[in-house]
Amino acid sequence: MARYRKKSAVIEAVQLRWTQWNEVCELLGDALNAENPTGAWEIPASEASDTCGEEGPNYIALHIRTTYGHIETARHGDWLIPEKAPGRFIAVEPRLFAADYEPVEV
């Protein structure tokens, strides 16, 4: 899984898209089943944050539980970042992620 830096912190993150589904499942771990009330579903390109150059017509969305326990929808192209609390994540739109993070050489 790729690593990214925000200021002085190094985080793990994965972009929600079909070609990275295995990495998404690895990052979400048990939260994909235990804390995700509806699983993943397909959405049209008009609802995706970014198509990431993948051919449609359908893209992916899923619910994630946030730090405060709220359910948020992550859409195709969003970056998923794990929080400190197990099973909690944040979804960041691609343009905001690009503005705040840069790849880290491992």
Side-chain angles (χ1 to χ4, degrees):
M1 189 173 323
R3 293 183 181 262
Y4 297 84
R5 176 188 342 263
K6 180 177 182 176
K7 298 186 182 180
S8 63
V10 175
I11 64 160
E12 287 187 342
V14 66
Q15 193 171 32
L16 179 59
R17 53 196 229 185
W18 288 121
T19 57
Q20 294 189 186
W21 183 244
N22 289 339
E23 290 88 351
V24 168
C25 291
E26 182 182 331
L27 180 76
L28 295 178
D30 292 339
L32 189 58
N33 296 320
E35 292 200 24
N36 192 344
T38 62
W41 66 93
E42 293 184 342
I43 58 173
S46 61
E47 293 180 22
S49 291
D50 188 335
T51 62
C52 306
E54 295 182 359
E55 293 185 28
N58 293 318
Y59 298 90
I60 191 169
L62 59 85
H63 284 139
I64 57 172
R65 194 169 298 277
T66 67
T67 300
Y68 301 106
H70 301 141
I71 300 295
E72 180 178 317
T73 300
R75 301 178 191 294
H76 194 100
D78 286 346
W79 286 86
L80 303 175
I81 303 172
E83 292 283 357
K84 291 180 182 179
R88 308 301 167 110
F89 304 88
I90 59 171
V92 180
E93 292 180 17
R95 67 179 178 78
L96 297 176
F97 187 86
D100 287 343
Y101 297 93
E102 62 186 15
V104 174
E105 295 295 324
V106 180

